Every structure is written in structure tokens, then in C-alpha cells.
């Protein structure tokens, strides 16, 4: 069964912002990343994960735990 387009991962921007204790400790694991930083990456609306690169490494924030969405960008159309 295909997922609807609103449930597909999309390019987005997120701001690092700690909301929970779990979010604080998850952010602590990403060395050098500070609250207020705005990042470009991919947002997955199903699990609220925000994937991005930090200092050349794959990293993840959780929207509502240690990040907030700033912008959801238009997905690149499949050709």
C-alpha cells in the first residue's frame, strides 16, 4: 500500500530547541550543536524525526523533543 504524500519524508528546516529531558540528552550526544541553530534536512512526519548532516556525520533530532520545524519545503517531484 502506498503512503499518501502527506506522510512522505520531505525537505525541511528545523531549529534546535529543547522541550523535554529526553530531548536535552539526545542533543548532548551531538557534539557542538547548540539551541537556536537552524538546520536543513529531511523531516519524516510519521515518526517526527528530522535527519541532517552535522560536521559530515549523519544526525537526527526529534521534532517536539529537541527541535521545532521552521519550514517545510516543497518536495522534489519524481520524474
Amino acid at each position: 500500500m502506498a503512503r499518501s504524500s502527506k506522510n512522505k519524508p520531505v525537505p525541511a528546516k528545523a531549529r534546535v530547541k529543547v522541550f523535554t529531558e529526553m530531548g536535552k540528552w539526545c542533543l548532548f550526544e551531538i557534539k557542538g550543536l547548540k539551541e537556536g541553530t537552524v538546520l536543513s534536512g529531511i523531516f519524516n512526519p510519521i515518526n517526527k524525526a528530522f535527519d541532517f548532516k552535522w560536521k559530515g556525520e549523519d544526525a537526527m533530532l526529534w521534532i517536539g523533543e529537541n527541535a521545532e520545524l521552521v519550514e517545510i519545503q516543497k518536495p522534489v517531484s519524481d520524474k
Side-chain angles (χ1 to χ4, degrees):
M1 177 188 284
R3 293 189 291 181
S4 70
S5 61
K6 69 180 178 180
N7 289 329
K8 290 183 180 178
V10 293
K13 290 188 180 192
R15 179 178 298 111
V16 179
K17 183 175 181 181
V18 174
F19 293 96
T20 67
E21 189 73 15
M22 182 190 107
K24 178 176 107 174
W25 291 108
C26 289
L27 177 59
F28 180 76
E29 295 294 320
I30 306 172
K31 304 298 183 213
L33 186 57
K34 304 291 182 201
E35 277 196 80
T37 304
V38 176
L39 302 158
S40 294
I42 303 294
F43 171 60
N44 183 334
I46 293 174
N47 63 6
K48 297 184 180 177
F50 180 78
D51 296 304
F52 63 101
K53 292 272 188 191
W54 180 251
K55 297 184 178 181
E57 298 288 327
D58 291 337
M60 184 186 325
L61 295 172
W62 299 97
I63 302 302
E65 297 282 345
N66 56 9
E68 63 183 352
L69 282 176
V70 174
E71 174 184 333
I72 295 180
Q73 299 163 348
K74 185 176 179 181
V76 177
S77 62
D78 296 326
K79 289 187 178 184

